[in-house]
Amino acid sequence: HLSGPPGPPRRRRQGLTRHILGHVSEENVEVVRRGYEAYSQGDLGAIQGDMDPDVVVYRKDPDGATFHGWDGFMQAIAEWVEDFDEFTISAREFIDANDNQVVVRVHQTAVGARSGAPIEADFWFVHTLRDARLTRLDMLVNKADALAAAGLSE
């Protein structure tokens, strides 16, 4: 039979666990934020440095395509932007979804390569990390799908 004060030690451990996990998720947000800054500066090496070699990229629309590894990541990005000129992205919102996922609202502007028409839209990317390295990127068109992919709801 165990003796001792019933509640306080457990509460302290839970608080410590929350503190440690909170630190992990803050670190993940920072890794993701750093990736968007690197992309905007054309620093692909920095992006690759924060990525697991076996990263999986999933693009729900228009085709449900899945890509693997660094080469797959680069192919997914190339296909994402291939029909546009003057393509820019900026991360507008970071949602610390859980201990290993960060949801990002990505604002994109471009000019249609054939039409010359300006295009502006928001997309939602779910970044899954392990040990502060990107292991999966889900590219989604709406917030509800992104939140659901991260186990959240609006």
Side-chain angles (χ1 to χ4, degrees):
H1 184 280
L2 298 173
S3 62
R10 176 169 291 178
R11 272 187 241 124
R12 269 183 268 179
R13 274 194 299 261
Q14 287 174 343
L16 179 61
T17 300
R18 262 195 268 22
H19 173 73
I20 291 168
L21 294 179
H23 175 72
V24 168
S25 61
E26 285 175 22
E27 181 182 16
N28 287 341
V29 171
E30 204 42 52
V31 167
V32 171
R33 187 182 314 274
R34 188 169 62 224
Y36 283 95
E37 289 170 7
Y39 183 86
S40 72
Q41 296 169 4
D43 188 354
L44 298 178
I47 295 169
Q48 188 174 17
D50 285 334
M51 189 176 292
D52 188 274
D54 298 320
V55 66
V56 173
V57 179
Y58 173 69
R59 181 181 61 215
K60 182 176 180 180
D61 293 306
D63 54 2
T66 301
F67 304 86
H68 299 275
W70 173 252
D71 290 341
F73 173 82
M74 293 302 296
Q75 181 183 352
I77 299 303
E79 289 180 11
W80 189 263
V81 304
E82 71 185 350
D83 293 330
F84 303 106
D85 293 328
E86 302 174 36
F87 181 87
T88 64
I89 66 167
S90 60
R92 297 283 175 94
E93 181 179 354
F94 293 84
I95 301 170
D96 183 356
N98 55 54
D99 299 332
N100 64 346
Q101 290 181 306
V102 179
V103 177
V104 181
R105 178 171 60 96
V106 178
H107 186 73
Q108 301 180 3
T109 61
V111 174
R114 288 189 210 108
S115 69
I119 299 164
E120 192 168 344
D122 286 342
F123 294 90
W124 293 84
F125 292 178
V126 180
H127 300 257
T128 303
L129 298 97
R130 183 180 59 245
D131 299 327
R133 293 173 64 89
L134 182 69
T135 59
R136 182 178 176 96
L137 174 64
D138 291 274
M139 304 166 80
L140 306 163
V141 296
N142 65 59
K143 185 176 186 178
D145 286 349
L147 293 176
L152 302 173
S153 60
E154 289 193 75

